[in-house]
Amino acid sequence: MLKRILVSLALSTAAAFAVTPARMIERRGATNVFPNPPTTITLSSPITVKAGQSFTPPQAYTRYERGYGACRDGEGGQADAVFVLEEGATLNAVVIGKNQMEGQCTINHVYFEDVCEDAITIKQSSGVSYINYGGAKGASDKIVQHNGGGKVVINSFYAENFGKVYRSCGNCKTQFKRSVEINDSWAVSGSTLVGINTNFGDTATIRRQKALNVRTICQKFIGNNLGNEPTNNGSGPDNISCLYNNFDVTS
Ligand SMILES: *[C@@H]1O[C@H](CO)[C@@H](O)[C@H](O)[C@H]1NC(C)=O
Ligand SMILES: *[C@@H]1O[C@H](CO)[C@@H](O)[C@H](O)[C@H]1NC(C)=O
Ligand SMILES: *[C@@H]1O[C@H](CO)[C@@H](O)[C@H](O)[C@H]1NC(C)=O
């Protein structure tokens, strides 16, 4: 019931917020100041943002959550997602726990206050998804889990206390050559900024990154499609897979 109300609100506001031209975003640094949600809405099922639609809450930075226990069993997948974004959907100005991107989508100013396992799962088969501004704290595992194909562009995003900010799936059944571009972002206290699979031709491009207390900036793995734990294949800039120079990363 709640869900239906929210979705119809979303659709009626969609016209006022035309799909954000992701490529024209303003370049700026990431912020570590998370918004203070004016209100919290607990959902009994995820909100689906339909193909090509945009969702902006009536009150900017409304907190959406799935209530107690949604995180309990670790990687819950779509069942305990908060938003499910279909192809070409855009999500703006919310504070949430978990998210799932089914197609090429854009999320702008989305803050994850306390990630359970993975904050954002990307399932597009190809194309580009954008994560602009916003931030995530407390992701014991990954913030962005890229299981589909194509590219993910992350701009001006803040990450704190994380396992990995981005990981190209190391052992999905269907593997792809994936790429990630991170610009103007800021990472504090984590294990790995990006993890990619060299054997599938992945690339990571990193520019104007701030990193403090982050062990590895670009970790290379040899992935598989058998569900096995991927093996390490070194780390650091190489002009082949990890496309940055040490001067692109400052504290
Ligand atoms: C991000 O950085 C890459 C590599 O420098 C660049 O090609 C791309 O245009 C940048 N995107 C934005 C939105 O700044
Ligand atoms: C491991 O990394 C090296 C150096 O980047 C690369 O030449 C090699 O192809 C990688 N191995 C695999 C199996 O991806
Ligand atoms: C990558 O190539 C550029 C241009 O040739 C060079 O200046 C830079 O030092 C190289 N970086 C690494 C990590 O090899």
Side-chain angles (χ1 to χ4, degrees), residues 22-23 25 27 153 155 181-184 205 207-208:
R23 282 167 202 79
I25 72 154
R27 173 183 291 176
V153 178
N155 286 304
E181 269 178 41
I182 306 189
N183 297 319
D184 305 293
T205 307
R207 296 289 181 272
R208 301 172 302 277

